[in-house]
């Protein structure tokens, strides 16, 4: 099983992993068109205050390809997550998927449209901030609080942010094997609610 203590003894491995995460578009085929933007100083200041960071997923992907985890699609999962977090006295940052802003395919246009419905629904929540531009996790990780909790359903953020020592919550049903103990996992809504 994954254990960061084991790999920290091997600087060459750490260096290679860090290189992959520094420019993931070279290593993740579906990210190769993404044009990441710089983070302005105003946003940098705001990012320091959040307790939770939520990573939405494409709403038009194969939603149940990894099995059922209590949610039939990514919209339902994201809406449930934000509804539950809105009950807490915590600040929540929602980092949009970088591909939401690609122009090359209708899928991304639908993703943007669906994401805007979520933004509209929660726009009155003063403790929520939606980031609506593509930002690399590699840069992002240095701007948020080190004790921020990262929430993803099944994204690569689970690996990236765990590697950089953030606590993560993710679905049991994902493309990462569950024998790697890198995240707090849920199998159903009840478990997820408790983890949140």
């Amino acid at each position: 099983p994954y254990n960061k203590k084991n790999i920290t003894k091997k600087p060459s491995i750490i260096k290679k992993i860090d290189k992959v995460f520094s420019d993931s578009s070279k290593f993740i085929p579906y990210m190769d068109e993404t044009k990441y933007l710089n983070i302005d100083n105003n946003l940098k200041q705001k990012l320091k205050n959040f307790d939770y960071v939520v990573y939405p997923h494409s709403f038009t992907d194969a939603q149940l390809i990894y099995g059922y985890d209590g949610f039939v699609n990514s919209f339902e999962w994201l809406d449930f997550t934000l509804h539950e977090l809105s009950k807490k006295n915590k600040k929540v940052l929602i980092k949009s998927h970088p591909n939401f802003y690609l122009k090359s395919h209708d899928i991304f246009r639908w993703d943007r449209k669906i994401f805007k419905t979520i933004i509209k629904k929660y726009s009155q929540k003063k403790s929520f901030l939606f980031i609506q531009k593509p930002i690399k996790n590699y840069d992002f990780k240095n701007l948020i609080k080190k004790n921020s909790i990262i929430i993803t359903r099944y994204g690569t953020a689970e690996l990236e942010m765990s590697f950089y020592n953030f606590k993560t919550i993710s679905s049991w049903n994902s493309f990462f094997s569950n024998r790697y103990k890198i995240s707090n996992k849920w199998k159903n809504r009840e478990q997820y609610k408790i983890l949140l």
Side-chain angles (χ1 to χ4, degrees), residues 7-22:
I7 64 171
T8 51
K9 295 174 186 167
K10 301 177 181 173
S12 62
I13 294 173
I14 292 288
K15 201 172 178 179
K16 283 179 185 175
I17 293 171
D18 191 61
K19 185 177 179 182
V20 169
F21 292 154
S22 71

Side-chain angles (χ1 to χ4, degrees), residues 66 69 153 170-174 176 178 181 185-187:
Y66 307 113
D69 61 2
R153 192 176 179 200
S170 61
S171 174
W172 181 265
N173 297 3
S174 78
F176 303 123
N178 290 307
K181 310 296 181 200
K185 303 273 191 181
W186 84 84
K187 292 182 181 179

Side-chain angles (χ1 to χ4, degrees), residues 60-130:
T60 54
D61 264 351
Q63 305 291 293
L64 294 172
I65 195 166
Y66 307 113
Y68 183 69
D69 61 2
F71 304 96
V72 294
N73 57 47
S74 292
F75 181 90
E76 185 182 63
W77 165 76
L78 181 58
D79 189 36
F80 178 88
T81 303
L82 297 182
H83 176 74
E84 290 303 312
L85 292 177
S86 70
K87 297 175 188 177
K88 300 177 179 291
N89 191 21
K90 301 286 182 183
K91 295 190 83 179
V92 181
L93 184 64
I94 303 95
K95 183 183 183 290
S96 62
H97 194 288
N99 284 354
F100 285 0
Y101 304 99
L102 292 177
K103 309 285 187 200
S104 59
H105 200 287
D106 273 350
I107 286 171
F108 308 124
R109 184 170 55 83
W110 279 107
D111 274 340
R112 281 192 302 279
K113 233 176 181 176
I114 296 166
F115 190 50
K116 282 181 181 171
T117 347
I118 288 282
I119 294 170
K120 188 176 179 182
K121 182 172 181 177
Y122 293 96
S123 62
Q124 300 305 312
K125 287 281 167 202
K126 302 269 191 249
S127 59
F128 283 16
L129 175 66
F130 289 87

